């Protein structure tokens, strides 16, 4: 009699669920490796006030440890959780959680993967040295360090000095056909559509911005750019709508910023958190991206929808990025400020169409979901993952009794 093998248990560890970009990445990974072959547990070290576990993908178990900012408590609680769960694979995200790979190694977790996240926050010389030293020193604990972008790969190789054999470039996979809307007839009788509680007029050029996970400073800087574009062109001010989506702790402050600048709801509207981001993307004409250090899942969805991207540009942009990436396109001005990008896209419909097509092609060429999944499966095999059926019945019951199921 054939016995079906038990699922491979993957444990994902995050510091909190307050980072929307990280959540997109983690949830996308979870959805890529489905039941019954895989089983997922998410360990959250610090409870978030912004997003709760109700936003998790279906059939995912979650442990919110709520250990606060104490690194010692994080290590001890996470260690106890891994002892109870006995996962086959441990995946950590972001530099803060890299030390958890050392904990997983001490507990003999068979497969240890760290997904690197490129950070652009300012650091002094000592902080830069420590950041690089930590990655270099702890790299022996993980089996592989996953670089989600060329820039991340370059930093891990050149700055952190991690051996190239340990680093694997795996770009985020996305089902581009799922986010490629079919052509549809234009209905002149439809004058506006509801996105959340916001009425979006069909005759305006809609500029979409997601504020989830962004700092107040980054958002207000963009408001400065949008306001500058409005001052530069009265027609732009009259014929565009800035549609702001996402949940942020700065909602009231941002609304005051908008009111103080004299914007009306016809110019700037807030939808709040939307469960269906695809519906939001279908009703905008331009997508604004303010975190150029990473290729977030939300950005890839917007690009796959054929939307032109207006973005801030990395300070240390690599020489060939302009030519290789469709979000680094040029305006007729010297510095390609967001103000100039918005005005350029507003005035040139052909350019919007051209850039939107380039965005979609880029996702289709660079972010195949099948390639993404195959690359991760290859890492599991290289790490000599044991048969998941070796987990005993007692261990399995201990695992399930230690979780909150959703």
């Amino acid at each position: 009699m054939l016995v079906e093998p038990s699922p491979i248990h993957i444990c994902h560890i995050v510091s909190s669920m307050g980072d929307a970009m990280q959540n997109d990445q983690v949830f996308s990974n979870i959805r890529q490796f489905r039941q019954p072959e895989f089983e997922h547990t998410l360990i959250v070290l610090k409870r978030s006030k912004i997003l709760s576990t109700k936003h998790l993908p279906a059939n995912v178990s979650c442990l919110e440890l709520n250990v606060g900012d104490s690194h010692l408590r994080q290590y001890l609680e996470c260690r106890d959780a891994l002892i109870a769960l006995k996962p086959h694979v441990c995946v950590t995200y972001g530099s803060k959680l890299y030390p958890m790979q050392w904990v997983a190694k001490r507990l003999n977790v068979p497969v240890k993967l760290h997904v690197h996240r490129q950070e652009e926050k300012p650091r002094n010389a000592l902080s830069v040295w420590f950041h690089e030293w930590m990655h270099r020193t702890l790299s022996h604990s993980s089996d592989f360090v996953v670089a989600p972008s060329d820039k991340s790969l370059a930093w891990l190789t050149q700055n952190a000095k991690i051996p190239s054999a340990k680093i694997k470039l795996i770009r985020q996979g996305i089902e581009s056909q799922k986010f490629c809307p079919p052509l549809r007839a234009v209905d002149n009788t439809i004058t506006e559509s509801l996105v959340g509680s916001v009425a979006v007029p069909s005759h305006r050029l809609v500029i979409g911005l997601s504020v989830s996970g962004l700092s107040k400073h980054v958002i207000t800087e963009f408001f400065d750019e949008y306001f500058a574009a409005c001052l530069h062109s009265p027609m732009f001010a009259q014929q565009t709508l800035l549609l702001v989506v996402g949940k942020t702790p700065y909602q009231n402050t941002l609304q005051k910023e908008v009111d103080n600048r004299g914007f009306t709801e016809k110019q700037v509207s807030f939808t709040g958190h939307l469960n269906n981001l695809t519906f939001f993307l279908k009703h905008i004409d331009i997508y604004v991206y303010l975190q150029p250090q990473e290729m977030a899942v939300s950005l890839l969805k917007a690009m796959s929808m054929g939307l032109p991207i207006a973005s801030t540009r990395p300070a240390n942009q690599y020489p060939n990025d302009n030519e290789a990436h469709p979000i680094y396109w040029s305006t007729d001005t010297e510095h390609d400020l967001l103000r100039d990008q918005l005005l350029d896209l507003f005035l040139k419909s052909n350019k919007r169409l051209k850039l939107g097509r380039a965005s979609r092609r880029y996702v289709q060429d660079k972010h195949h979901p099948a390639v993404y999944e195959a690359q991760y499966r290859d890492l599991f095999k290289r790490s000599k993952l044991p048969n998941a059926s070796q987990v005993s019945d007692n261990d399995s019951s201990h695992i399930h009794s230690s979780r909150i199921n959703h």
Side-chain angles (χ1 to χ4, degrees), residues 277-329:
L277 188 62
T278 306
F279 185 74
F280 163 76
L281 295 173
K282 284 182 178 180
H283 287 86
I284 65 176
D285 303 289
I286 300 168
Y287 186 76
V288 176
Y289 188 61
L290 304 180
Q291 293 182 301
Q293 69 272 22
E294 293 187 53
M295 291 294 291
V297 176
S298 57
L299 172 64
L300 294 176
K301 288 180 180 179
M303 294 173 69
S304 183
M305 295 283 284
L307 291 171
I309 310 298
S311 69
T312 50
R313 307 295 164 85
N316 303 325
Q317 188 172 302
Y318 294 107
N320 294 328
D321 279 356
N322 260 350
E323 302 168 8
H325 205 294
I327 72 171
Y328 299 142
W329 51 275

Side-chain angles (χ1 to χ4, degrees), residues 367-378:
H367 295 273
H368 301 284
V371 173
Y372 172 83
E373 182 175 351
Q375 288 174 318
Y376 264 100
R377 286 178 181 270
D378 184 54

Side-chain angles (χ1 to χ4, degrees), residues 231-249:
L231 289 177
H232 188 272
S233 170
M235 187 180 296
F236 177 89
Q238 294 169 5
Q239 298 183 13
T240 64
L241 166 66
L242 176 60
L243 192 60
V244 183
V245 68
K247 200 165 185 178
T248 172

Side-chain angles (χ1 to χ4, degrees), residues 19 21-22 25 116-122 147-153 155 213-215 218 289-296 299 311-318 321 325 327-328:
D19 187 331
M21 182 179 290
Q22 177 184 263
Q25 184 181 37
H116 180 254
R117 180 169 180 180
Q118 191 69 24
E119 297 180 354
E120 295 286 331
K121 66 180 182 181
S149 66
D150 293 321
K151 189 170 184 178
S152 179
L153 175 65
W155 188 89
L214 296 180
S215 68
V218 168
Y289 188 61
L290 304 180
Q291 293 182 301
Q293 69 272 22
E294 293 187 53
M295 291 294 291
L299 172 64
S311 69
T312 50
R313 307 295 164 85
N316 303 325
Q317 188 172 302
Y318 294 107
D321 279 356
H325 205 294
I327 72 171
Y328 299 142

Side-chain angles (χ1 to χ4, degrees), residues 354-371:
K354 179 181 177 182
L355 289 172
R357 287 173 174 169
S359 291
R360 180 174 292 168
R361 281 197 303 270
Y362 184 88
V363 172
Q364 292 171 344
D365 292 344
K366 299 284 188 180
H367 295 273
H368 301 284
V371 173

